[in-house]
Amino acid sequence: MNSRRKTNPTAFCRNLLQLLAVCALSACDKQAVYHNFHSLPSEGWSKQDTVVFDVAVPDSQTHYRLDIEIRNTNRYPYQDIGLGLCYCGPGISQTTTDSLHYILADRQGHWKGEGWGGLYQTRFPAGTIRIDSAGTYRLKLIHTLPNETLPGINDIGIRLVRQAGGSYPHQSAEK
């Protein structure tokens, strides 16, 4: 008697897909309250183009970590990027602004982000924000490089992650 089991290719594929789906769902970050990208024109990111994110924040009296995510191609001509960030929302009497500077490639020109096929994605910390009032917050990003049109940036995104209590240095969106 042959003790070898015959495998059903259809059942194997179905089980593999179910396993992949479970892994993908369990990998989701339950603390992220917002994660979104805006695609930029293929000809480049114009200096006049402000990328705007309207973020519905469900909690008040909470600290959030803000990450900036950049998807760039090999067409990007620099190793770094400068960004201007401003945000406003409920309970903020004055728009908060910040200048950010990130390194996308090392001195040899190797991209720091993950990717393949000439498209790379890199996540950078942009600080911590204390939200005192639930509501919709508007975050705006611009590039601060001298180019009128900046080639090679495909998408720009933000990720807002709820932090477990404690005190955080950086920005505060207080009343």
Side-chain angles (χ1 to χ4, degrees):
M1 178 175 224
N2 189 354
S3 64
R4 253 177 118 184
R5 289 175 44 189
K6 290 186 177 181
T7 57
N8 179 345
T10 305
F12 176 76
C13 287
R14 184 176 53 244
N15 290 338
L16 182 62
L17 287 174
Q18 288 174 344
L19 177 63
L20 290 173
V22 167
C23 288
L25 289 174
S26 65
C28 291
D29 185 355
K30 292 176 177 62
Q31 295 300 316
V33 296
Y34 185 84
H35 190 201
N36 197 14
F37 281 88
H38 283 289
S39 293
L40 298 169
S42 58
E43 58 273 4
W45 187 3
S46 171
K47 199 162 190 66
Q48 288 75 35
D49 289 343
T50 301
V51 180
V52 178
F53 299 90
D54 288 320
V55 181
V57 178
D59 301 328
S60 60
Q61 302 295 316
T62 305
H63 289 89
Y64 292 91
R65 185 183 76 236
L66 177 64
D67 294 326
I68 305 294
E69 296 189 66
I70 298 172
R71 291 182 186 144
N72 67 286
T73 67
N74 290 327
R75 287 184 47 231
Y76 187 70
Y78 303 109
Q79 85 182 81
D80 61 345
I81 188 168
L83 300 174
L85 167 70
C86 68
Y87 67 91
C88 59
I92 301 176
S93 58
Q94 185 175 350
T95 300
T96 302
T97 60
D98 203 356
S99 295
L100 307 170
H101 181 254
Y102 299 121
I103 304 296
L104 294 172
D106 63 21
R107 291 186 190 273
Q108 290 74 38
H110 299 113
W111 299 111
K112 294 185 174 236
E114 296 180 4
W116 56 276
L119 182 65
Y120 303 92
Q121 180 171 325
T122 313
R123 178 182 297 164
F124 299 101
T128 302
I129 301 171
R130 180 172 176 228
I131 301 292
D132 283 331
S133 301
T136 300
Y137 288 77
R138 175 164 278 189
L139 290 93
K140 299 177 183 180
L141 284 170
I142 59 167
H143 79 80
T144 58
L145 295 177
N147 303 54
E148 275 304 310
T149 302
L150 190 59
I153 301 294
N154 268 29
D155 309 277
I156 188 113
I158 64 167
R159 184 169 173 260
L160 198 61
V161 180
R162 184 180 297 110
Q163 298 286 304
S167 142
Y168 297 92
H170 195 58
Q171 303 164 349
S172 176
E174 297 178 343
K175 292 181 184 177

